Each structure stands twice: as structure tokens, then as C-alpha cells.
Amino acid sequence: MIRLKLNSLIALLFLVCLCSSSIAQMNYVSEDHSFVVRKISGEITLDGRLDEQSWITASQLNNFSQYAPSNEVRAIGQTEVYMQYDDNNLYIAMRCYAESDKFNAATLKRDYGFMNNDNMTLIFDTYNDGTNAFVFGINPYGATREALISEGGRNRGAFDDSWDNKWRGEAKRNEDNWTAEIIIPFKAIRFKAGTTKWRFNTYRNDAQSNEISSWMNIPRNRILMDLTYMSEMRFEEPLKSAGSNIVLIPYVAASAIRDFEDVDETEPNYGSGIGGDAKIALSPSMNLDLTINPDFSQVEVDRQVTNLDRFEIFFPERRQFFLENADLFGGFGFGRVNPFFSRRIGVAVDTTTDDNIQNTIYAGARLNGKINEKLRVGLLSMQTAAQQQNDLPSFNYTVLAAEQRMFSKSNIGFIFVNKQAFDAENFEGTVDSYDRIAGLEYRLASADNRWTGKAGLMKALTPNADDHKFAHVLNLNYTVRKYSLEYVHSFVGEGFDAEVGFVPRRDIFRASPEGRLNFYPKGDLFSQISVGVDTRFIYKVGREENEYINDFSLVETGYELFSRFDFANNYNFSVSLHNEDIFLLDDFDPTGIQEDDIFLPGGEDYNFTFMRLNFNSDRRNRFFYRINTNVGQFFSGQRFGLNGQIRYGIQPYVSLSTDFSYNRIKFDAPFETANLWLVGPRVDVTFTKKLFLTSFFQYNNQQENFNINTRFQWRFAPVSDFFLVYTDNYLTDNFSQFSKRNRALVAKLTYWLGF
């Protein structure tokens, strides 16, 4: 009966999504902002000066509109953008007028943050589909950034700055403006040969005028990278194929690692490695990525968190190979019902201790791109090594994903995930021979972006005979300038065993309606005020055996009243009131530090209320701070939480910051009062645009660990780096002794070879 009701509901809501998608299928490319890009034959000297004769006749874009703090006026700091091209490159120049030469630049490092830098950002939708786009940016000091936009740019998670490619940009600072020139090789991006137009937009952060402006006027309730609001750039002649495009990125590495907790290990283990990646353009729109013996030693360590939850904490993927085009493979489901989570690859579970351990990756391949203007496909396959000492066989991870665009901007997606064990029968039956997930998902996006959402159904194909081997998700949003409404629900069956996904809770049905009102006051104090309510209801279906509940019982509710105040000076403040009612199904220690026999017992209901206050200063300032508080009840006890960040910058060379978190949790005896500290000082030094140093420290008394991570990077050639990484961990259980746990020093050299 439950399965029938849920499947009927999802079918009905699929129809709602399809009907909504057919509404407002108008074209939001502005004819008023369309322009022609001229073809040139001369050369451009890349120095940021705009003194070539060809810029005089190039297409010029001006008359930018203000996006923030107001949304209804002409930009104070005006901008001029020029474009031209030849057979090999696209050339862009810009002149950004300002009040003085006191330009804001927090760093010289690549992939700088948008809000704390004066900068220009360019967006190119090369397939004119309103779904995916390439991003290039530059600041007044010539620091650059690049990124990929997916999902129509409808949310901040659709911005992926991990993408790296070979292009150039230079800037020059003047008395009342800064100028820049950019050269983007057509080989660096994907497009259809013979095309005559792309969709385009550009936006700017001007710290001196305290404004963000854009070429296309974007409503205040939309984010800047929303691909709905674009102009059309028309090429004077059709674009030719970029030709052969093969890139090899080999690496060599050396390391010295010692585990001080292993009494038999009396000296460091010295090692070396060689491997690399290859990027092969099979066509202007299809790319093949290969990796052999990948090494991720230069990847920054995870920021630790204080875990007060009953379930697994999500840590984002940071490895470059998995981040590129991650939206195609990882965009299915929701954050906590995700059938594919790439961090599961190369990380295994020690079957003797249940701890996460590193698992060597032998090689991998990823094929992805456009079959035509509407069909996008991806195939990922990775092979890992066996680990006999942990009773783990070799695994192959294969993921097939596809997206077919429908209507204006909606699409249907398909995913198939396969984790295949090799020779599993010789590993004492501790692992399944395979674990597979198949899923189908409809992503709704009306042309005007008022209606957005998704509806998906996923099925687990596993050797066991569990009930409810399926999951489904639904999200439906209606957003206009003055208000937004959202409904979200998900069902995760007990048998939905997604070993390569992120699904921390199973055997539940969760529903969460939310509503928000937006106000845009006149005057100089506020730019926007938002108020709303968010709710959640979680039911335990009952296929997972538990002595405390009946089938389909309500086990958790949550209510939140919130308000947010965005000030015209870029400060913001929010306050929210929460009430939660949780029926514990298992014994639980909410502090994580009690003795084994001290816990909140399962089978009891806990109702508690608390308040959160959040304040953020202006990110453009050299001194920035963010303060978040949590005060009130916590299960049957009391909690006071304080966390945030303090940052000071000596622009653009040094950034000093500290992330901090403190939680005091008090219950009646026999519980011990918990004072949980997490402190993470950080130093970022950008000596030049090619030389960087980052030192990151973390002290976490819940995990009784102090961590040091220092990374030196020298970009000695385009997309070619030398890394030197030092990592150290200390046990702080007995703080006076401060004993060593492990230590590592790694050197790595990568080089970009293009053909």
C-alpha cells in the first residue's frame, strides 16, 4: 500500500512538473543587447593596455545596470567591454571606471572569490541551451579565475571553479579605471563547429562604489550566474573547428611518511610515484579524460567539523579529476539522497575496525560531452587495488549518465552506477559481489525560471533480498521577485543500498514545505529583507526492524521561523527560531565524549526549542568577521554554540584568518558537561601570481587531534605546478604530552603538454 501511494504521488507530480515546464516557454535572449563580434587578422599584444588599433572597431558593450544594492538604476561605475576573434582565439578587452585607483584585491591567487575582489566575470553559453556555460574572470592585478556553470546557474552549487585550462589575461591599473585584455583559445572550450552565435553575459564587482553591475539586467531575486538572462553574441563568420586538442599532464612525486603510533615503525617510509592525466578532444563537443596512478597529495585537507548529529557528516569532493563535470554524474537526487558520491572511490572501509582508509586507484577514464545540442552523456570508470590486509578485493566503479534537454531548459536525466568486486568469494564474504543503482530524473526549469525542481526514481540492484529497494525524490519551487514557495519530499527504502552514494538515512519518508517573502525597501539602509517558514516531517516506514515504532510512524518534526536583513553596505544579519521533536530509535550520545554506558536512551521522545543568530560583515573590507550563535534547549539538556570566522587581509599578498567553533552542552547527571572546541587558524600568502603558500592548522578536542597542513605551490608554466606539502597530526588526549601521531612530506611536479 505504501509503495502504491508513493508511486502514484510521484507520477502525479511528474505531470505537474511537465505542465509547469510548458508554461512560459519564451526566449529570454535580449535583442536589445545582441551584438556582432568582428573577425580580425592582426595580432593582440597581451599587456592590458588596449592600445591596439583593432579595439577601436571592435564590438563594444556598455551601459551596465546595477544589480546590488539596488536593482533599478544605472551602474555608478560604468564598464566597457570589447570583443573580436580570429580562427584560433577569442579576444576580450575591458575598461572598468572607478572613483580612484584604490582597487580591492584580496589575493593574487587563481580562482579568487568574487565578493572580496574588484573583478569582471564573463559567461559564455556556447551551446545556447541555458543549462551549461564557461566562466572566465580577471581582477585589477591580473589574477584570473575560470569555472563551469551547470543546471542553468540556478543555485550556488552549480558553480564549479575546479575547472582549469590554458588561457591568458593581463590587467593594468590607472587613475580612475582599470583595464584588462583576455585571450581565450577556442581549444579551451567546447562548441559546435560552424556555429554563428553564443549566449553571453558579464558582471562586475566594484568595491569603491559598493555595487555589483551586469550587462544584462538581472532581477534581485536571481543569482548573478543565472543563465536565464543572457544576450546574444553573433560571430561575423561561422566558427571553425578548433582542430586537434590533446593534452598530457604527467606528474612525478616523492614522499616521506611516518606513523608514530605504529611501534614497529622507527623511521620514515620513503616513496615515489609517477603517473598523470590525459585530455583528448574527440570532437569539439566530446572529451575523453584518462588518469593513470592518480595522486591527490596536493589536495587541501578537509575542514573539520564538530559532529553533534546522529548521522554521517558530508565532506565535499576536492580531487580535481572527480570535480570536472561533476554535475553530470553527481547531480541526481538531493544532498542526502545522492546515488553517486565520488568520494566513495579510493576510500574503503576497514572491515576489522570500520574506519575509512585510503584505497589505491590504478587508473580511470571519463568520457563526457554533447552528442547534439540537446543530448549530453558521460561515462566514468575507475579501478582500485585489492587490500588483502583489510579483507578488501579490487573494485571497479562505473557510472553512466545522460541528460536530454526538453522544452526550453528542462531535461530528463538517467544514471546507472555499478560497483563490481573482483574475486569477492575469496574475501570471507565480507563484501557483496556487486552493488548497482539505476535512476531516472526529470529536472524542471521553465524559461523564465519561475518554476524549477526535479522528480526522480531510483532502484537498487543488489544480491540481498531486502524490502523497498528504491528511492524517489521530488522538489518543486515557484519563485518570483516578492516571494518563493518550495515543496520537497524524499523516500528512501530500507533496501536502497547505495554503496557509492551518500545516503546517511534509509527507511524514511521526509516532507519539507517552505515559504519565503522578500521585501526591497527604499532608502539607504536595507537592500533586501526576507522572512519565511521552513518545516520538515520524517516518517519511519518500518521495514528496518525497530522495537519502538509501528509501520509508517512519525518520528521527527521540525519548524523554523526565519528572517534575514541584507544591508546596503553589504552587511547581513539573520535570526531564526527552531522547534524540533525527535523520537530516538537508538541510544545516542549527543556530545560524543561520554563513557560507553552514558547516553540518551532510544524509545523516548525529545522536544526542544532553540534560536540561531548570524551576522556577517562586508567581505570587501580588509577586516571581515562572521559570527553564528545557537542558544537554547538540546534534547533533554541545554546548548550554547558560537562559531564563525575572523579574517584580516594585507591586500593582495597576505590573508590571516581563523575559523572557530565552541559548543557547551550540559545534561543532568551522570552526563559530563561537554566543552567542544574546534579552532582553525589559516595563513594564505600570494607572493606573486605564480607563487603561493598556505598554512592551515586545526585543533579539535572532540577528536583529540591537532593537525598542521602546509602547502607551497609554484605555477612555473601555464597549468603546470610544483607542490611541496607538509602534514602533521598530534594526539591531544593528554595535552601536556602532545604526542605525535603521523607526519608526511610530499613533493609533486606536474606539467601541461598540449598538442
Side-chain angles (χ1 to χ4, degrees):
M1 179 62 69
I2 293 170
R3 184 192 299 261
L4 177 61
K5 288 181 179 179
L6 293 175
N7 287 346
S8 299
L9 179 60
I10 195 70
L12 174 63
L13 289 170
F14 261 117
L15 291 175
V16 171
C17 289
L18 287 169
C19 292
S20 302
S21 184
S22 64
I23 299 172
Q25 292 299 322
M26 69 286 290
N27 189 348
Y28 263 73
V29 172
S30 170
E31 292 297 330
D32 294 339
H33 286 72
S34 297
F35 59 97
V36 176
V37 185
R38 305 295 180 188
K39 189 171 184 180
I40 62 170
S41 56
E43 294 186 358
I44 299 293
T45 301
L46 189 68
D47 55 14
R49 296 181 180 277
L50 280 66
D51 51 6
E52 286 84 4
Q53 183 68 23
S54 62
W55 290 127
I56 298 175
T57 58
S59 304
Q60 181 186 141
L61 286 62
N62 52 28
N63 196 24
F64 277 52
S65 301
Q66 192 176 102
Y67 171 80
S70 179
N71 198 211
E72 301 173 349
V73 298
R74 189 172 184 266
I76 299 170
Q78 275 296 311
T79 307
E80 299 167 355
V81 177
Y82 306 85
M83 281 198 207
Q84 49 195 349
Y85 76 109
D86 59 23
D87 288 337
N88 299 313
N89 303 301
L90 177 64
Y91 303 94
I92 306 107
M94 59 201 69
R95 188 182 303 276
C96 304
Y97 292 95
E99 296 175 355
S100 72
D101 61 354
K102 306 298 182 183
F103 301 110
N104 202 62
T107 180
L108 298 176
K109 198 172 185 178
R110 201 179 190 95
D111 293 334
Y112 53 79
F114 173 75
M115 287 302 298
N116 55 351
N117 283 269
D118 275 298
N119 68 94
M120 281 289 294
T121 299
L122 310 161
I123 302 176
F124 300 95
D125 177 1
T126 60
Y127 280 94
N128 306 298
D129 60 7
T131 303
N132 299 94
F134 296 91
V135 177
F136 299 90
I138 193 166
N139 75 11
Y141 286 79
T144 58
R145 69 171 185 163
E146 63 276 288
L148 300 175
I149 292 177
S150 59
E151 301 178 28
R154 295 187 295 273
N155 57 75
R156 287 172 176 80
F159 188 91
D160 177 13
D161 62 359
S162 67
W163 181 62
D164 207 356
N165 217 304
K166 199 170 183 178
W167 62 283
R168 296 177 291 157
E170 293 291 342
K172 183 178 183 298
R173 301 181 300 280
N174 308 302
E175 281 190 12
D176 64 348
N177 68 81
W178 62 276
T179 56
E181 291 177 310
I182 288 173
I183 299 178
I184 303 174
F186 285 123
K187 284 187 176 183
I189 49 184
R190 303 283 176 259
F191 59 90
K192 183 179 179 181
T195 190
T196 58
K197 62 183 180 180
W198 293 349
R199 298 172 77 241
F200 170 78
N201 196 19
T202 178
Y203 54 86
R204 173 189 173 192
N205 187 20
D206 180 3
Q208 295 182 49
S209 298
N210 183 29
E211 73 171 359
I212 299 171
S213 59
S214 62
W215 163 237
M216 288 289 296
N217 192 350
I218 303 172
R220 191 70 173 88
N221 63 310
R222 306 293 185 183
I223 59 178
L224 281 165
M225 63 181 182
D226 191 329
L227 301 184
T228 302
Y229 304 91
M230 305 281 280
S231 65
E232 189 173 80
M233 52 186 291
R234 300 170 182 167
F235 295 97
E236 194 172 37
E237 297 178 8
L239 294 180
K240 298 180 180 179
S241 171
S244 64
N245 189 1
I246 300 174
V247 173
L248 302 179
I249 313 174
Y251 81 84
V252 292
S255 63
I257 302 172
R258 182 175 177 184
D259 183 358
F260 291 93
E261 295 179 311
D262 185 347
V263 295
D264 296 326
E265 193 170 307
T266 58
E267 59 182 28
N269 290 316
Y270 297 97
S272 60
I274 185 170
D277 299 339
K279 297 177 180 292
I280 304 170
L282 303 179
S283 73
S285 58
M286 184 66 68
N287 200 62
L288 174 64
D289 294 309
L290 304 172
T291 186
I292 298 176
N293 192 29
D295 174 83
F296 307 108
S297 57
Q298 82 278 13
V299 175
E300 186 176 282
V301 297
D302 288 317
R303 292 180 180 268
Q304 297 181 22
V305 296
T306 300
N307 187 5
L308 302 178
D309 199 359
R310 293 163 289 158
F311 307 102
E312 180 184 6
I313 296 292
F314 178 85
F315 288 99
E317 177 65 86
R318 296 179 181 274
R319 296 171 295 179
Q320 178 78 19
F321 185 83
F322 295 101
L323 284 170
E324 291 188 18
N325 297 295
D327 68 291
L328 182 59
F329 301 99
F332 289 79
F334 299 145
R336 300 181 74 82
V337 190
N338 192 330
F340 175 67
F341 180 40
S342 60
R343 280 189 68 133
R344 302 297 189 203
I345 302 176
V347 178
V349 176
D350 188 329
T351 55
T352 61
T353 64
D354 289 330
D355 291 334
N356 287 335
I357 56 175
Q358 294 299 313
N359 189 196
T360 299
I361 298 175
Y362 285 140
R366 181 181 60 231
L367 176 69
N368 57 85
K370 294 263 190 177
I371 300 295
N372 52 49
E373 289 188 356
K374 292 188 176 182
L375 179 59
R376 183 180 177 216
V377 298
L379 178 63
L380 171 71
S381 183
M382 309 291 291
Q383 186 71 39
T384 62
Q387 291 183 283
Q388 294 285 348
Q389 68 274 25
N390 294 305
D391 199 29
L392 292 173
S394 175
F395 289 101
N396 176 266
Y397 300 82
T398 297
V399 187
L400 172 66
E403 289 179 351
Q404 173 70 36
R405 183 157 60 94
M406 299 182 63
F407 307 113
S408 174
K409 294 164 59 180
S410 302
N411 65 66
I412 287 181
F414 169 78
I415 189 170
F416 178 76
V417 183
N418 181 44
K419 177 184 178 182
Q420 188 76 43
F422 288 80
D423 198 26
E425 61 276 8
N426 293 324
F427 285 82
E428 301 181 6
T430 56
V431 295
D432 290 334
S433 58
Y434 64 89
D435 184 271
R436 296 166 187 157
I437 300 289
L440 188 66
E441 188 169 274
Y442 177 73
R443 289 86 175 262
L444 165 67
S446 62
D448 59 1
N449 260 10
R450 290 191 175 192
W451 289 97
T452 59
K454 62 169 57 180
L457 182 64
M458 294 164 276
K459 174 77 171 180
L461 308 170
T462 55
N464 57 54
D466 291 341
D467 290 334
H468 289 172
K469 289 188 176 185
F470 70 97
H472 79 71
V473 297
L474 182 127
N475 171 223
L476 191 60
N477 296 272
Y478 181 76
T479 303
V480 292
R481 179 178 172 84
K482 293 184 177 181
Y483 67 91
S484 63
L485 299 172
E486 179 183 37
Y487 174 74
V488 180
H489 82 229
S490 60
F491 173 85
V492 184
E494 166 59 17
F496 189 69
D497 185 16
E499 292 184 7
V500 197
F502 185 79
V503 187
R505 299 183 71 172
R506 292 190 287 175
D507 195 43
I508 65 167
F509 174 80
R510 172 177 176 144
S512 179
E514 179 182 352
R516 178 190 299 259
L517 293 173
N518 301 316
F519 304 92
Y520 305 93
K522 302 293 184 181
D524 298 330
L525 182 58
F526 296 106
S527 62
Q528 181 176 339
I529 298 174
S530 300
V531 297
V533 58
D534 190 9
T535 61
R536 77 172 186 275
F537 306 91
I538 298 179
Y539 294 82
K540 194 70 172 175
V541 178
R543 288 299 185 268
E544 180 185 58
E545 293 183 5
N546 191 287
E547 59 181 306
Y548 301 122
I549 63 167
N550 299 317
D551 288 359
F552 217 76
S553 296
L554 181 64
V555 295
E556 190 170 330
T557 61
Y559 302 92
E560 176 187 355
L561 297 173
F562 62 86
S563 60
R564 176 182 167 113
F565 303 86
D566 290 301
F567 296 90
N569 62 359
N570 286 331
Y571 286 70
N572 66 71
F573 169 75
S574 64
V575 56
S576 57
L577 181 65
H578 303 252
N579 177 265
E580 297 196 4
D581 193 298
I582 296 176
F583 184 84
L584 282 183
L585 300 175
D586 300 290
D587 300 338
F588 174 53
D589 171 16
T591 68
I593 68 164
Q594 308 299 323
E595 299 293 336
D596 290 342
D597 58 347
I598 300 176
F599 47 77
L600 298 179
E604 294 189 12
D605 186 77
Y606 298 87
N607 187 289
F608 52 100
T609 301
F610 58 94
M611 178 179 288
R612 286 177 176 161
L613 303 172
N614 306 304
F615 184 81
N616 292 272
S617 69
D618 187 351
R619 290 183 178 274
R620 299 169 305 159
N621 295 340
R622 290 189 176 187
F623 179 70
F624 165 80
Y625 56 94
R626 170 176 51 83
I627 306 294
N628 309 313
T629 63
N630 187 309
V631 182
Q633 299 169 322
F634 186 56
F635 290 90
S636 60
Q638 298 289 322
R639 174 189 175 193
F640 171 75
L642 179 67
N643 67 81
Q645 182 187 78
I646 299 173
R647 186 183 70 227
Y648 180 78
I650 305 172
Q651 299 184 1
Y653 302 106
V654 180
S655 175
L656 308 173
S657 64
T658 297
D659 291 320
F660 61 90
S661 174
Y662 170 71
N663 283 276
R664 178 178 174 83
I665 303 173
K666 185 175 182 179
F667 291 91
D668 293 336
F671 279 85
E672 177 185 349
T673 297
N675 291 285
L676 305 178
W677 285 95
L678 177 57
V679 183
R682 180 187 179 105
V683 179
D684 284 285
V685 183
T686 54
F687 301 100
T688 69
K689 289 188 293 183
K690 297 181 178 181
L691 210 59
F692 320 113
L693 177 68
T694 299
S695 288
F696 189 28
F697 309 87
Q698 295 185 98
Y699 166 63
N700 186 339
N701 74 337
Q702 188 182 45
Q703 297 184 6
E704 299 175 346
N705 189 77
F706 178 75
N707 167 257
I708 301 172
N709 183 262
T710 299
R711 183 178 60 175
F712 172 81
Q713 179 184 359
W714 173 30
R715 175 149 286 193
F716 58 88
V719 206
S720 304
D721 301 281
F722 171 74
F723 295 96
L724 187 64
V725 182
Y726 172 77
T727 303
D728 210 352
N729 284 282
Y730 295 86
L731 181 65
T732 61
D733 181 21
N734 187 338
F735 208 80
S736 62
Q737 295 184 4
F738 209 64
S739 57
K740 296 185 289 290
R741 304 185 72 173
N742 53 70
R743 183 175 295 162
L745 180 66
V746 178
K748 181 179 178 181
L749 181 72
T750 68
Y751 192 74
W752 177 290
L753 297 168
F755 302 94

